[in-house]
């Protein structure tokens, strides 16, 4: 009988027990609570003159596993070795093609038979699927739900990796008892990637300097102090009919690092910003600060200077209409009940429909970083005080004074100021938070959505930062992708695409941003973002409908996820050569051009009482998507350092790392570089249809070498 080329490769490299030990939670429970264990399953796949067996459970050390084969095969029955037991797969050679074999696996406790499973398979020359790489034409193999063996042809010298993908939107795939893994044929592959071990528990993740605001539950909020606006403690002088610099108003602000304790503080009006295209009296924003926090000298630490206050007001009024043109408008009503069904116009509210920017040491943490929140929008202020007692009744943002003075040079962080200009971090955050205020109107109020997924809302805000990065004049290194992409590259596997983690939320921000950045660069730029922001949906549904509306397509969520994971698995140079999905695309703005110009921004400030014009530049028409720059995940500036070694691109995780597969998440694992033309891969059997397994083939590379491939420009 003529043997096919697969037989030359059939010897299996059994991965050592030290590197592949999967003791499931069920194993442990069975061992502790019952006298006996059990085999959950046994499956057999016929190969050419061989069979591939996989099973679940049965690896409890006190038991033995015995395998018998019928018709008889030399060497059987026999007890399985420790490696075989732990790996839970085995290739049996020396079988006859077109002969049906029965395999019996028996679990014993001493002489007692605990559990027995049988499976049948018929070896055949046609049983193993072969994928011909064909010089890059087939760079990805998607295994069927019940497929465990595949031969890759024409891959000599190519790097092979695979991804576990969880398509379930709510359910986690357990690392130890479920997630699939791979063994390979010996002498056909060598290690070329030193994979990251992965952290065993989330608590080991690094703690970021900048943290994210999560509104406390209403039951956790405490209002302290005896002060009240109706009492004699404050003599508010703010005049809604004639706002002037120096007027005061008592405003609720946070009092602890948990942001759940509030009290009234007397705030002074230090800057008034006017609508660039409005008239002399068309106020856009009011900037407030406590007198004791304002300094006449250089801005530093917990003190802010008049010049920085003026800079904040100027930059906001110069660019906020630019943001509204893309994302929508804010709500101009105050709500009289918790269901948003009854409201009054803000024109009769205490600060009309002006945007209030409150400068404050958020969390009262100084520069210690306990709180770490740069700024926030809290929808509580959209409700009358009869509904929420600690509402400030208007459009409010809160900005941290120390972060106004924040500066990062390399790994060094200071709060010594930025030559009397506000930090890029704060300005980017301000427009990030303004999107949240807009989103509250478009999704909750106009479209009556009861809730908006946190990851989706944050994705839109980060896309706002992405779109406005150039217009705001943010320095390189301060743009949204400079912070989010390294976090994504190093830790993406801890959070799914459509998932928000309460702890380690910064990982969810990174995964949500990277997915949104991919969508924006591939499916319509600014036009897509505009559609997602303004349609009547949220989360996955909003994204899918927007993509199809803008592009005239019929894509499903699964299609978008697949394209995205490809963009994360293939290096930029390879993706460009073979026209594969990538984030490395620059959109020049022709996908949505609308005549839009903003006049000079005017700000009245404490040092500018004559109210003369203060110019901070123009935003001109036709530039609404010029900042959608290509992102090369393997760029030199976006690497992630692991044990003093810098890795580029999404990290490849060692396949036995104890990391759950998150809902809508994925984990990329290295297999190695092929050293022969054909490679046959053996995978463990699936235990859930939620988990998909995709194999990636690409040119050889070093994970510690950056990729400088230039972005593709889309006109």
């Amino acid at each position: 009988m003529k043997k096919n080329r697969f037989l030359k490769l059939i010897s299996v490299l059994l991965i050592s027990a030290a590197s592949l030990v999967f003791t499931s939670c069920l194993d442990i429970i069975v061992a502790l609570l019952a006298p006996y264990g059990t085999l959950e399953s046994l499956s057999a796949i016929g190969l050419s003159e061989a069979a591939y067996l996989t099973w679940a459970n049965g690896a409890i050390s006190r038991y033995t596993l015995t395998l018998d084969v019928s018709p008889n095969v030399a060497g059987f029955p026999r007890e399985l070795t420790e490696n075989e037991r732990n790996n839970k797969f085995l290739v049996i050679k020396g079988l006859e093609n077109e002969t049906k074999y029965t395999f019996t696996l028996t679990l014993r406790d001493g002489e007692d038979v605990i559990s027995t499973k049988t499976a049948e398979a018929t070896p055949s020359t046609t049983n193993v699927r072969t994928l011909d790489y064909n010089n890059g034409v087939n760079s990805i193999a998607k295994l069927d739900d019940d497929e465990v063996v595949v031969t890759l042809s024409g891959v000599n010298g190519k790097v092979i990796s695979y991804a576990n993908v969880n398509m379930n939107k709510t359910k986690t795939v357990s690392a130890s008892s479920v997630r699939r893994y791979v063994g390979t044929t010996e002498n056909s592959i060598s290690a070329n990637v030193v994979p990251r071990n992965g952290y065993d528990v989330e608590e080991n993740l690094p703690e970021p300097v900048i943290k994210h605001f999560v509104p406390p539950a209403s039951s956790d909020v405490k209002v302290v102090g005896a002060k009240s606006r109706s009492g004699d403690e404050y003599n508010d002088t703010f005049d809604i009919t004639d706002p002037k610099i120096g007027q005061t108003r008592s405003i609720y602000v946070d009092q602890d690092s948990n942001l759940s304790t509030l009290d009234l503080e007397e705030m002074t009006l230090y800057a008034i910003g006017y609508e660039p295209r409005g008239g002399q009296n068309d106020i856009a924003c009011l900037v407030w600060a406590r007198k004791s926090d304002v300094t006449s000298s250089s801005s530093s630490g917990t003190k802010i200077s008049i010049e920085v206050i003026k800079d904040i007001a100027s930059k906001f009024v110069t660019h906020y209409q630019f943001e509204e043109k893309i994302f929508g408008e804010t709500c101009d009503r105050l709500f009289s009940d918790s269901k948003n069904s009854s409201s009054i116009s803000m024109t009769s509210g205490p600060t009309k429909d002006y945007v209030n920017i409150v400068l404050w040491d958020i969390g009262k943490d100084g520069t210690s970083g306990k709180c770490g929140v740069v700024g926030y929008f809290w929808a509580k202020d959209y409700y009358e005080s009869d509904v929420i007692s600690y509402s400030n009744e208007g459009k409010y943002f809160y900005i941290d004074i120390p972060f106004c003075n924040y500066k990062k040079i390399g790994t060094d962080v200071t709060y010594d100021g930025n030559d009397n200009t506000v930090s890029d971090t704060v300005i980017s955050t301000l427009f990030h938070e303004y999107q949240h205020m807009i989103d509250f109107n478009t999704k909750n109020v106009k479209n009556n959505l009861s809730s908006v997924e946190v990851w989706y809302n944050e994705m839109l805000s980060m896309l706002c930062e992405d779109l406005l990065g150039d217009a705001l004049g943010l320095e390189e290194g301060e743009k949204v992708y400079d912070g989010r992409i390294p976090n994504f590259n190093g830790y993406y596997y801890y959070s799914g695409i459509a998932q928000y983690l309460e702890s380690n939320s910064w990982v969810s921000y990174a995964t949500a941003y990277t997915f949104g950045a991919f969508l924006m660069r591939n499916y319509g730029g600014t036009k897509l973002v505009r559609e997602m922001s303004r349609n009547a949906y949220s989360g996955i549904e909003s994204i899918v409908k927007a993509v199809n509306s803008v592009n005239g397509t019929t894509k499903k969520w699964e299609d978008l996820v697949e394209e995205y994971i490809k963009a994360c698995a293939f290096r930029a140079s390879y993706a460009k050569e073979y026209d594969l999905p990538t984030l490395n695309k620059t959109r020049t703005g022709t996908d949505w051009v609308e005549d839009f110009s903003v006049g000079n921004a005017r700000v009245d400030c404490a040092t500018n009482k004559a109210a003369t014009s203060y110019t901070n530049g123009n935003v001109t028409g036709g530039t609404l998507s010029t900042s959608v720059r290509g992102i090369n995940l393997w760029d030199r500036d976006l690497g992630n350092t692991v044990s003093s070694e810098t890795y580029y691109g999404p990290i490849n995780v060692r396949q036995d790392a104890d990391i759950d597969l998150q809902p809508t998440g994925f984990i990329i694992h290295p297999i190695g570089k092929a050293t022969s033309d054909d490679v046959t891969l053996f995978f463990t059997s699936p235990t859930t249809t939620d988990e998909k397994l995709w194999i990636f083939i690409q040119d050889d590379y070093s994970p510690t070498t950056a990729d400088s491939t230039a972005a593709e420009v889309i006109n």
Side-chain angles (χ1 to χ4, degrees):
M1 181 179 296
K2 186 177 180 180
K3 298 182 179 180
N4 69 6
R5 59 186 176 183
F6 168 73
L7 286 181
K8 300 176 183 177
L9 306 167
I10 200 65
S11 296
V12 177
L13 175 61
L14 293 178
I15 302 172
S16 70
S19 64
L20 258 179
V21 179
F22 282 80
T23 301
S24 73
C25 293
L26 183 57
D27 283 338
I28 297 170
I29 293 171
V30 167
L32 292 176
L33 301 183
Y36 304 117
T38 184
L39 285 170
E40 292 182 5
S41 64
L42 172 67
S43 64
I45 304 293
L47 309 175
S48 180
E49 300 184 359
Y52 177 53
L53 272 60
T54 62
W55 58 91
N57 258 2
I60 301 175
S61 59
R62 61 183 273 199
Y63 301 147
T64 60
L65 272 177
T66 302
L67 179 65
D68 195 7
V69 182
S70 178
N72 186 59
V73 174
F76 294 93
R78 69 173 176 82
E79 182 180 322
L80 300 189
T81 67
E82 183 179 3
N83 276 357
E84 292 167 343
R85 288 163 53 89
N86 289 329
N87 289 335
K88 300 177 188 174
F89 67 83
L90 183 67
V91 174
I92 302 174
K93 299 180 290 183
L95 307 183
E96 299 236 352
N97 284 340
E98 312 308 329
T99 297
K100 181 186 288 187
Y101 288 86
T102 300
F103 305 93
T104 303
L105 193 61
T106 303
L107 183 71
R108 287 186 171 87
D109 184 3
E111 297 297 322
D112 297 328
V113 175
I114 306 305
S115 182
T116 299
K117 293 291 182 183
T118 62
E120 294 180 339
T122 302
S124 172
T125 58
T126 62
N127 276 0
V128 178
R129 176 163 73 105
T130 298
L131 176 77
D132 187 358
Y133 172 67
N134 193 14
N135 296 318
V137 173
N138 299 312
S139 294
I140 181 173
K142 296 173 61 179
L143 269 64
D144 294 334
D145 288 342
D146 59 352
E147 195 169 15
V148 294
V149 183
V150 63
T151 294
L152 309 178
S153 175
V155 294
N156 189 23
K158 301 300 178 183
V159 170
I160 304 171
S161 59
Y162 74 98
N164 302 106
V165 182
N166 185 1
M167 283 298 186
N168 193 293
K169 297 169 186 175
T170 59
K171 183 180 177 182
T172 298
V173 175
S174 167
S176 59
S177 62
V178 179
R179 205 186 71 214
R180 301 179 71 184
Y181 59 96
V182 65
T184 71
T185 55
E186 63 183 356
N187 301 324
S188 60
I189 214 153
S190 65
N192 84 307
V193 176
V194 180
R196 184 178 193 149
N197 289 339
Y199 292 102
D200 290 333
V201 290
E202 291 181 355
E203 284 75 14
N204 286 337
L205 291 174
E207 186 75 11
V209 174
I210 296 175
K211 302 170 188 175
H212 302 101
F213 171 71
V214 178
S218 57
S219 58
D220 295 332
V221 175
K222 298 178 182 178
V223 180
V224 298
K227 305 170 184 176
S228 68
R229 290 195 186 96
S230 60
D232 298 328
E233 291 83 9
Y234 289 135
N235 182 22
D236 289 354
T237 62
F238 179 70
D239 185 353
I240 192 173
T241 63
D242 187 21
K244 291 186 181 299
I245 301 301
Q247 293 176 351
T248 61
R249 181 168 193 257
S250 50
I251 296 175
Y252 281 106
V253 287
D254 52 81
Q255 301 290 320
D256 61 17
S257 59
N258 293 324
L259 308 183
S260 59
T261 303
L262 303 174
D263 197 2
L264 287 168
E265 296 281 353
E266 184 180 89
M267 296 289 177
T268 299
L269 182 59
Y270 278 96
I272 303 174
Y274 297 87
E275 295 180 17
R277 294 193 290 181
Q280 177 71 20
N281 298 314
D282 291 329
I283 294 175
C285 74
L286 308 173
V287 185
W288 305 86
R290 195 172 57 170
K291 278 187 178 180
S292 58
D293 293 333
V294 179
T295 178
S296 58
S297 58
S298 295
S299 194
S300 179
T302 58
K303 301 293 183 181
I304 191 165
S305 70
I306 297 296
E307 289 302 315
V308 172
I309 292 174
K310 184 169 72 172
D311 192 38
I312 292 171
S314 173
K315 287 176 178 172
F316 179 78
V317 296
T318 299
H319 300 291
Y320 81 98
Q321 290 176 326
F322 183 88
E323 181 173 351
E324 289 178 346
K325 203 70 176 178
I326 302 169
F327 290 88
E329 297 73 37
T330 57
C331 179
D332 290 337
R333 303 192 69 79
L334 283 173
F335 297 99
S336 305
D337 62 64
S338 59
K339 296 183 179 179
N340 304 345
S341 59
S342 176
S343 63
I344 61 171
S345 172
M346 273 191 179
T347 55
S348 58
T351 55
K352 289 192 175 180
D353 60 350
Y354 311 146
V355 171
N356 294 273
I357 302 172
V358 180
L359 307 178
W360 173 250
D361 177 13
I362 293 178
K364 280 194 170 182
D365 63 345
T367 60
S368 69
K370 282 184 182 178
C371 177
V373 173
V374 179
Y376 62 89
F377 158 72
W378 190 350
K380 71 176 180 65
D381 295 316
Y382 260 97
Y383 295 86
E384 293 187 274
S385 57
D386 289 344
V387 180
I388 297 179
S389 63
Y390 44 89
S391 169
N392 287 313
E393 299 183 301
K395 300 179 183 180
Y396 277 82
F397 295 105
Y398 305 88
I399 296 294
D400 187 61
I401 291 176
F403 271 112
C404 290
N405 303 315
Y406 175 81
K407 185 185 299 182
K408 185 177 181 182
I409 303 174
T411 58
D412 295 330
V413 170
T414 73
Y415 299 87
D416 295 334
N418 298 271
D419 298 324
N420 272 327
T421 60
V422 67
S423 70
D424 285 352
T425 300
V426 160
I427 287 303
S428 191
T429 298
L430 182 59
F431 288 94
H432 174 116
E433 298 302 326
Y434 196 52
Q435 190 286 135
H436 288 321
M437 184 179 283
I438 292 171
D439 187 86
F440 175 76
N441 185 38
T442 56
K443 301 297 186 181
N444 297 97
V445 178
K446 284 188 174 181
N447 291 302
N448 199 32
L449 297 181
S450 58
S451 63
V452 176
E453 291 91 329
V454 174
W455 69 269
Y456 169 79
N457 200 345
E458 296 299 343
M459 182 192 78
L460 290 178
S461 281
M462 288 181 284
L463 293 183
C464 173
E465 294 181 78
D466 203 346
L467 285 165
L468 294 181
D470 283 349
L472 293 172
L474 302 181
E475 294 182 0
E476 294 303 321
E478 289 289 342
K479 295 183 178 173
V480 62
Y481 44 77
D482 291 308
R484 302 299 181 186
I485 295 299
N487 285 343
F488 171 81
N489 279 341
Y491 306 98
Y492 68 89
Y493 45 86
Y494 274 116
S495 178
I497 297 168
Q499 182 184 33
Y500 181 79
L501 301 173
E502 292 294 339
S503 60
N504 300 312
S505 61
W506 59 274
V507 183
S508 295
Y509 276 70
T511 54
Y513 167 70
T514 307
F515 181 61
F518 168 77
L519 294 173
M520 184 167 68
R521 284 157 176 79
N522 285 273
Y523 296 106
T526 308
K527 188 175 182 180
L528 175 70
V529 177
R530 192 174 194 265
E531 182 65 23
M532 288 190 297
S533 300
R534 294 169 181 256
N535 66 22
Y537 309 95
S538 176
I540 290 173
E541 188 175 14
S542 173
I543 290 170
V544 173
K545 288 184 179 295
V547 166
N548 290 329
S549 173
V550 169
N551 296 275
T553 54
T554 56
K555 289 185 179 293
K556 299 178 181 178
W557 168 251
E558 291 74 15
D559 300 327
L560 298 176
V561 170
E562 180 178 336
E563 296 295 298
Y564 170 60
I565 295 177
K566 289 179 183 177
C568 296
F570 293 114
R571 282 170 72 93
S573 55
Y574 188 82
K576 184 174 183 179
E577 182 176 357
Y578 293 99
D579 195 27
L580 291 162
T582 179
L583 280 83
N584 205 23
K585 294 183 178 181
T586 294
R587 306 191 75 99
T588 62
T590 55
D591 42 54
W592 182 51
V593 176
E594 183 173 334
D595 182 27
F596 178 66
S597 61
V598 175
N600 294 337
R602 186 169 69 83
V603 176
D604 293 347
C605 205
T607 58
N608 190 14
K609 295 181 180 179
T612 56
S613 293
Y614 174 72
T615 302
N616 197 47
N618 297 327
V619 180
T620 56
T623 61
L624 286 176
S625 60
T626 54
S627 64
V628 183
R629 300 183 184 183
I631 298 176
N632 185 341
L633 296 179
W634 292 263
D635 184 84
R636 184 167 301 280
D637 295 328
L638 301 177
N640 191 274
T641 301
V642 181
S643 300
S644 301
E645 183 74 72
T646 301
Y647 291 80
Y648 299 95
I651 204 83
N652 278 205
V653 181
R654 198 180 71 195
Q655 67 174 1
D656 63 325
D658 189 16
I659 301 171
D660 292 340
L661 186 54
Q662 298 298 322
T664 68
F666 63 98
I667 309 176
I668 302 173
H669 304 282
I671 297 177
K673 184 172 73 171
T675 56
S676 64
D677 199 48
D678 293 350
V679 171
T680 299
L681 303 175
F682 300 88
F683 290 89
T684 55
S685 295
T687 57
T688 171
T689 58
D690 293 332
E691 181 189 17
K692 307 301 177 184
L693 203 149
W694 301 340
I695 302 167
F696 306 102
I697 309 165
Q698 59 186 306
D699 292 340
D700 190 15
Y701 67 88
S702 167
T704 57
T705 301
D707 183 339
S708 58
T709 303
E712 175 190 356
V713 178
I714 302 175
N715 294 318

